[in-house]
Amino acid sequence: MIKNLLATIALVVFGCLVWAAWFALSPLRLQTAELDFSIQPGSSLRSAARQISAAGVAMAPWQFALLGRAAGKAGAIKAGSYEIAQGITAWNLLTQITQGDFSQSEIVFIEGWTFKQIRAVLDAETGLRHDSSKLTDEQIMVRIGAPAQAPEGWFFPDTYLFAKGSSDLAILKRSWRQMENQLGAAWAQRAQESPLKTPYEALTLASIIEKETGRPDDRPRIGAVFNNRLRIGMLLQTDPTVIYGLGDEFNGNLKKEHLLRDGPFNTYTRAGLTPHPISMPGSGALLAAVKPAKGDELYFVARGDGSSQFSKTLLEHNRAVHKYQLSSKR
């Protein structure tokens, strides 16, 4: 009986090893020839496996998680944006997301950045090949497959991993595809009563929300204020759009004369949204634009600690301005 039991155990172990080797070394099936996916910060191996599977890699997440644990890499998952191609094996994929390949570097795009800031960061990255450095913004959009699109707002803020010597255009293309995916997912969740007519309008509004606050819990309420104003035809009256329109003229001091000077990005003098986005919004701002908080608030003002005070009426708003803005300047 003992011999039979040991033989059975040995057979099971051998079978597991054969399966593990087969799974690890077999090419994975991808939905497309090249596939982008992101692993969110703080993800466990099991969570990362689910995110990869949801992005279009045909595999059972538990199998990939089991392989990672067997390889002793369960605690080495690295968050970021990845790009893989047909022919990649589960072992290669595991190696890539745990950074076993130390030839990879990373570059980070931050929420609220402009395209000008993105280009500056790419130009300063020594590990990249700078194919975009002598191209205009319009030429860059053509090269990444997005002709006739103004680049502002069309790139998703994330950590992008790349092999040294990669083209900066490849990073931009991945970031643009990521934003298209994120925008599409957000647009599919838009509220039925939303005044926004197109995904591009949602992207534009999200870019304004992104510049108004860095607090995740305030974004849905700021989204509600702007949605409410758009619905009734009220001016948005938001400082970040004016600052964007001033460009290099802005020195950090927004004056009354700036608010009164008419221009395409002055939401104090022109109704509706700006002609195009003013920054690169993250997923939180995208969702706040299309699925804002419920409520009828029309005003908000910064409290000075990073949060905002919201009001329904102009009288309430003026009191909040006096409390949080004017009194602090005395």
Side-chain angles (χ1 to χ4, degrees):
M1 288 180 64
I2 294 176
K3 287 182 178 180
N4 289 339
L5 179 60
L6 291 175
T8 301
I9 293 174
L11 186 61
V12 170
V13 171
F14 179 73
C16 290
L17 291 174
V18 170
W19 170 85
W22 170 81
F23 177 69
L25 301 178
S26 296
L28 295 168
R29 288 189 295 108
L30 312 183
Q31 285 185 350
T32 56
E34 293 181 347
L35 187 69
D36 297 329
F37 65 88
S38 288
I39 295 178
Q40 299 303 312
S43 295
S44 64
L45 175 58
R46 183 182 293 274
S47 175
R50 287 197 295 264
Q51 292 170 57
I52 295 169
S53 176
V57 180
M59 67 176 185
W62 70 267
Q63 293 179 330
F64 189 74
L66 184 60
L67 176 65
R69 289 194 181 89
K73 297 186 176 184
I77 302 300
K78 186 170 179 62
S81 172
Y82 296 84
E83 182 180 42
I84 57 177
Q86 290 284 5
I88 191 171
T89 65
W91 182 256
N92 293 147
L93 179 57
L94 179 64
T95 301
Q96 189 170 347
I97 68 170
T98 55
Q99 284 292 277
D101 180 2
F102 291 99
S103 66
Q104 284 205 333
S105 299
E106 65 181 39
I107 193 166
V108 182
F109 294 166
I110 306 296
E111 291 92 341
W113 275 5
T114 63
F115 189 58
K116 182 178 180 180
Q117 290 174 295
I118 293 175
R119 293 199 65 171
V121 168
L122 288 172
D123 288 343
E125 175 54 61
T126 58
L128 285 171
R129 192 173 73 249
H130 300 114
D131 295 332
S132 72
S133 60
K134 295 183 179 180
L135 300 178
T136 65
D137 289 355
E138 293 75 17
Q139 289 171 332
I140 287 175
M141 298 306 283
V142 170
R143 291 284 294 274
I144 67 172
Q149 285 183 355
E152 201 69 85
W154 269 118
F155 298 89
F156 189 72
D158 204 348
T159 299
Y160 294 92
L161 304 172
F162 62 91
K164 291 183 178 180
S166 298
S167 171
D168 55 2
L169 288 172
I171 301 293
L172 287 172
K173 186 172 184 178
R174 289 166 59 191
S175 183
W176 168 67
R177 287 200 306 242
Q178 181 87 315
M179 180 57 84
E180 280 206 317
N181 293 336
Q182 293 284 340
L183 178 58
W187 184 249
Q189 301 179 61
R190 69 188 183 281
Q192 188 175 5
E193 65 276 12
S194 174
L196 303 172
K197 298 179 178 62
T198 66
Y200 192 63
E201 287 190 355
L203 181 65
T204 301
L205 180 56
S207 75
I208 298 172
I209 295 171
E210 189 65 70
K211 294 299 289 184
E212 277 288 2
T213 183
R215 291 177 66 102
D217 51 337
D218 273 356
R219 289 193 191 110
R221 296 184 72 181
I222 289 176
V225 168
F226 288 145
N227 270 271
N228 291 338
R229 287 188 169 217
L230 288 172
R231 194 175 293 110
I232 64 176
M234 185 176 177
L235 295 174
L236 293 185
Q237 295 180 313
T238 169
D239 292 355
T241 63
V242 180
I243 293 171
Y244 180 86
L246 291 172
D248 294 336
E249 181 186 342
F250 181 65
N251 62 3
N253 182 24
L254 188 64
K255 302 177 181 179
K256 185 176 181 179
E257 64 186 71
H258 296 144
L259 303 181
L260 296 175
R261 186 194 307 171
D262 185 41
F265 290 91
N266 190 339
T267 52
Y268 284 86
T269 62
R270 299 197 182 189
L273 295 166
T274 51
H276 61 65
I278 64 169
S279 75
M280 178 170 55
S283 55
L286 288 170
L287 195 59
V290 299
K291 195 177 180 181
K294 300 291 185 181
D296 53 0
E297 295 161 331
L298 291 170
Y299 305 89
F300 66 91
V301 64
R303 289 195 181 109
D305 61 357
S307 65
S308 300
Q309 177 68 35
F310 296 86
S311 304
K312 296 180 180 180
T313 68
L314 182 58
L315 179 60
E316 292 176 351
H317 176 64
N318 287 337
R319 289 173 179 167
V321 170
H322 185 271
K323 178 178 180 180
Y324 295 108
Q325 297 283 310
L326 299 180
S327 61
S328 63
K329 295 179 180 179
R330 292 176 180 173

